[in-house]
Amino acid sequence: MLEFMDYVQNAFYNVSHWNHENSYSHLTATTRALLEFDTPRGLRLNLSSLSSPNFATSYAIGSVGLVDGSLSYLYTSLPLYTTSQSGKIELHDVIRGYRQIQELRKPEESWMWEQWQGGKRIDKRDTLLYGRLYLPQSTLEALYLRRLSPTQQLKLSAVSDSRLRNGGTILALHQFDVGKYSADTLYSTDGGLIGIRGLYNFGPDPRKEVTELPRTDDRFYGRFSAGAEMYYGSLNKSGGVSFGGRFATLPAHKGVPLTATLTLNPLMGNLSTTYAVKAGKNLALCTKFDFNVYSYESDVMLGCELWKMKAKIPKERERSMLAKLEWRLDPIKENPVPEPDEIAGVLKARVDQNWKIGLIWEGRIKDLLFTLGSSVDMKRRDQPFRAIGLELQYSS
């Protein structure tokens, strides 16, 4: 489940019209959500608040052998009028699950951001500042996020910790996205790492007018995306490269939603394939197969998620005062508007070839968001439960 500060950061992306999922780093987002989820350890409590549209705070305390915690503060120059109460937040916005990719949208023009007054430009770029202090380790995290233009964004991340080399590290990331393709350029002080990654979406260009209707009657109506990344460490003189492709159906697809990916790391010889399908309205299944061409080692993992909906209690019909005075019944509505389904929670499970199982149950009780999970090793008959934990979140 997303932490409150990550939820606020996603709200900043939505309000500023930035598609953070159109990136090579999110190529396998669905697989990571269904198979690589973290199981909680011990007990952890988070208290958060969006005290104003521009300022948010969060406090966390946990107990895993010893008591630890963190203090977080976030400021944004762009007012965020988003739901912040944990009792009203849409669970699909805070629980990672099967990700249905959307149609590409046309980026805004640069002149749309211009604001003039008295013959002078007075417009400013939207900015987000975030800081988090971990106690008692005294580790400090910082984030500076700035929208440079409708198609560009700058992100600076920093970590200060005495246990790290040189006392900390800084990561600079420049993102460029026009819908049809995106490119990221990064630099990290840790090892002098320089990298670039990009993603290209095949199909119509959202910047151009569509002259023909989409072929939604095709057996598979979706979008194929391909990308790559390259990086080089100037201090340790080492580099890396990877390639990847993804096919995912779009919302207009009339069949079963599915997502398939293929990633390749030629230097390490790793090949990874994934396949995820929305088998039902509330059920998603996922598989992952990894193979190394040099050592011939392979790994298999299976996972699923099941959303549970609350049972609808039929409302009793009460006669209006006019109907009572006239000794009659109220007319029955022919096409009543159906009430939306209310989510009770979601169950996630995964298992690999070594019979290591991960289970979590995420949902809401009253005004509390919770995550209950456990890690099980079936080969350890004496101690099969490796970890059990509970996380609680409350926000206002």
Side-chain angles (χ1 to χ4, degrees):
M1 182 176 291
L2 285 179
E3 294 186 352
F4 182 76
M5 288 303 186
D6 296 326
Y7 169 74
V8 174
Q9 185 174 335
N10 288 342
F12 176 83
Y13 289 140
N14 295 331
V15 175
S16 62
H17 303 104
W18 179 263
N19 185 9
H20 66 282
E21 294 187 348
N22 189 32
S23 173
Y24 182 75
S25 60
H26 286 78
L27 192 72
T28 58
T30 293
T31 303
R32 294 198 300 268
L34 297 178
L35 298 180
E36 300 176 12
F37 53 84
D38 296 326
T39 54
R41 299 174 61 89
L43 178 63
R44 191 165 190 84
L45 176 63
N46 292 271
L47 301 176
S48 310
S49 173
L50 187 63
S51 54
S52 72
N54 302 87
F55 190 73
T57 58
S58 181
Y59 310 97
I61 185 172
S63 176
V64 185
L66 54 87
V67 178
D68 60 354
S70 64
L71 309 174
S72 306
Y73 298 92
L74 183 145
Y75 168 79
T76 170
S77 62
L78 181 65
L80 304 177
Y81 298 98
T82 184
T83 304
S84 60
Q85 295 86 358
S86 54
K88 299 180 180 179
I89 291 178
E90 175 62 37
L91 291 183
H92 280 103
D93 296 334
V94 293
I95 296 179
R96 297 185 179 95
Y98 182 90
R99 307 298 299 175
Q100 173 66 68
I101 65 171
Q102 303 297 319
E103 296 282 358
L104 297 174
R105 60 190 179 193
K106 180 180 179 181
E108 297 177 337
E109 300 292 343
S110 299
W111 59 266
M112 295 182 179
W113 285 28
E114 296 180 3
Q115 297 181 7
W116 296 83
Q117 183 177 0
K120 296 183 179 179
R121 289 188 60 176
I122 60 172
D123 53 282
K124 297 181 180 179
R125 297 294 178 256
D126 299 325
T127 305
L128 183 144
L129 301 175
Y130 167 73
R132 184 171 188 175
L133 177 63
Y134 293 89
L135 297 173
Q137 299 90 344
S138 297
T139 301
L140 179 64
E141 288 183 355
L143 172 66
Y144 174 81
L145 186 62
R146 185 178 180 85
R147 292 298 310 274
L148 303 178
S149 70
T151 58
Q152 297 185 66
Q153 179 175 270
L154 178 64
K155 188 175 183 180
L156 298 176
S157 306
V159 178
S160 176
D161 193 333
S162 59
R163 294 169 294 182
L164 297 177
R165 185 172 56 182
N166 300 325
T169 180
I170 298 177
L171 173 65
L173 176 64
H174 176 267
Q175 298 175 292
F176 178 77
D177 181 14
V178 295
K180 180 68 173 179
Y181 59 89
S182 66
D184 300 342
T185 306
L186 60 91
Y187 173 77
S188 175
T189 59
D190 186 12
L193 183 68
I194 303 174
I196 184 173
R197 61 192 178 205
L199 181 71
Y200 183 83
N201 298 303
F202 293 86
D205 192 338
R207 296 170 296 176
K208 300 178 181 179
E209 295 185 1
V210 179
T211 57
E212 58 181 32
L213 296 176
R215 301 173 58 183
T216 57
D217 294 333
D218 292 346
R219 184 177 180 182
F220 294 104
Y221 175 68
R223 182 169 66 240
F224 179 73
S225 305
E229 67 175 351
M230 295 178 291
Y231 55 89
Y232 177 75
S234 59
L235 298 183
N236 51 19
K237 309 301 182 189
S238 63
V241 61
S242 71
F243 305 93
R246 177 189 65 195
F247 176 81
T249 56
L250 294 170
H253 176 60
K254 298 180 180 180
V256 177
L258 59 89
T259 301
T261 65
L262 171 65
T263 55
L264 174 64
N265 188 328
L267 298 182
M268 303 300 296
N270 290 329
L271 177 68
S272 178
T273 60
T274 68
Y275 181 78
V277 61
K278 200 74 179 296
K281 181 180 178 181
N282 303 318
L283 175 65
L285 306 175
C286 184
T287 62
K288 181 180 179 182
F289 176 73
D290 295 332
F291 180 74
N292 189 283
V293 297
Y294 298 144
S295 63
Y296 299 105
E297 294 181 351
S298 62
D299 294 307
V300 178
M301 186 177 295
L302 307 176
C304 69
E305 69 170 2
L306 177 62
W307 294 79
K308 178 177 175 55
M309 301 299 174
K310 292 184 178 179
K312 294 183 179 180
I313 301 177
K315 296 182 179 180
E316 297 182 359
R317 293 182 56 198
E318 295 185 0
R319 290 192 300 167
S320 63
M321 182 58 66
L322 180 60
K324 291 179 180 179
L325 293 176
E326 296 179 355
W327 292 83
R328 63 176 177 82
L329 296 175
D330 290 319
I332 300 176
K333 296 181 180 180
E334 295 182 357
N335 297 316
V337 179
E339 296 183 0
D341 295 334
E342 188 175 356
I343 301 173
V346 57
L347 174 66
K348 292 184 180 181
R350 67 163 181 260
V351 59
D352 61 12
Q353 62 183 18
N354 297 318
W355 288 102
K356 292 183 178 180
I357 302 174
L359 296 169
I360 61 171
W361 172 257
E362 298 176 306
R364 175 164 44 211
I365 300 179
K366 300 296 183 180
D367 291 338
L368 286 177
L369 300 176
F370 71 90
T371 301
L372 176 65
S374 175
S375 298
V376 183
D377 189 351
M378 298 302 295
K379 291 187 176 182
R380 297 285 300 273
R381 300 297 179 87
D382 53 340
Q383 293 180 346
F385 292 94
R386 308 303 300 165
I388 299 177
L390 173 65
E391 292 185 2
L392 300 173
Q393 295 189 44
Y394 175 80
S395 59
S396 61

